[in-house]
Amino acid sequence: MRRMMPLAACLLFNFACSDGKPPAPAGAAPAAAPAAAPAAAAPASAPKGETTYHFGANPARVKVIFESKTNVTNILGQTNQCTGSATIDFEKNTGSCHLVIPTLSLNSGMDDRDRAMHGKVWLDSKVNKTIEFKSKKAAVTAPNTWKIDGDFLFRGVTQPLSIEAEVKQVPPTIGQKLGEGAWIRVKTSFKVDIGQHGIKIDKSAQFTVEPIWNVAIELFATTVKPADAPAPVEAAEPDEVKVVRVSKLKSDGLPGTHYEFGKKPQLTTLRATSEAQIETIVATINASHGFVGIDKEKGVAGLRFHIPVAQIKTGIPMRDEHLRGETWLDEKKFPMIAFESTKATKKDDKTWAVEGTFMMRGVGKPLKLDVAVADIPAEEVKKANWGEKPGVRVTGDFKIKLSDHGVKNPDPTKINDELSVSIFLVGLLADEAK
């Protein structure tokens, strides 16, 4: 998944009689010695004293995730745009920072939802063009851990915000792969009460938008200031989306009462995370189709779903093209990722143990996971404007290995072989349900 830059080089070869090659023509200039290969750039050593680090040199080194989760909807979005700087003295444990995110760069993966999110009722992004955090005070509380107090600007309203952040100097040998200069890595997570920033959730959205949003940030910063600042986002024009119809599955063979998910993309969210030394990649998808069947009396259940590879998004279009290409998921040969349970038994009132086969890139592997299952009354579904039928929510986490499915990873420092996957599936009572 890396770009290859063309390299132009000029090599001079000279012949000498002692090598058994033809002699140089009479009067020719003495043969020049072969040109020496340029020396590799030495890794930048860790700076001493107060040093300024710059964010945003490469969008692949920026990861900002925001999430609003209710009983019936999980809004999961991200942006790869963040600029600003941090000035830190690691010897004296002092520092300051200023981060800037273009509001219009926030993307939840669904065009209709994003248009509403950036509209006047919610973020009013054309008026409130930036989201910013500016520190007032910072102190080290534990190794590599800073407590940072500052001002958080969101939707034009500034509120005090205290966060804990992991701040590490990147080893020079790893920093070489990131680019010029000495590097740091910053990770933090915090909560934002959108009501404190002037957003009033209408009754029609109370069951689909949580007033407290979770935010997670991971940034790399370098001592080399970017030559050109990224162009600001001026309009929320959606990218052209390749629409792939998910093959409609059937609920045949599943036990008990059947619930179908996938008719409404807002009710399905899947996330796969790769966390490596120099890059964290979060792939999300809202397009899937499948069924869950539950027989509570017998304590058995079944789960099956399909995911179209073409609709997996990481936030960077060029990286998405590589992800779908022949070297990685090979969308043309294997357009769907699938899971089919072979066994599901009830562990307690909320948890089921599920076993099955996870199919990716044409290779099926056994998979075990625990899922939490919760009933959603028809009244709640109706208030959320998703229909008249009752539903169930299925959530769980599991891990898969790319190498198990035939993917050869050329650079483990950028992409971890092991992916962490989270599912949030809301199924509504199927038409053929018992």
Side-chain angles (χ1 to χ4, degrees), residues 291-307:
F291 290 89
V292 58
I294 302 175
D295 189 327
K296 292 182 179 179
E297 292 183 0
K298 294 181 179 180
V300 294
L303 175 66
R304 65 169 61 112
F305 59 82
H306 277 183
I307 304 167

Side-chain angles (χ1 to χ4, degrees), residues 8 33 53 68 89 121 134 183 194 200 216 233 277 306 308 312 335 355 359 413-414:
Y53 301 86
S68 161
D89 189 325
V121 174
K134 193 170 186 179
W183 291 79
I194 62 174
K200 296 181 180 179
V233 178
Q277 285 180 303
H306 277 183
I312 298 175
E355 299 178 21
M359 178 75 70
T413 64
K414 288 185 178 181

Side-chain angles (χ1 to χ4, degrees), residues 363 365 400-407 417:
V363 179
K365 289 291 181 179
I400 60 171
K401 286 189 175 182
L402 293 171
S403 56
D404 284 345
H405 296 273
V407 177
D417 183 49

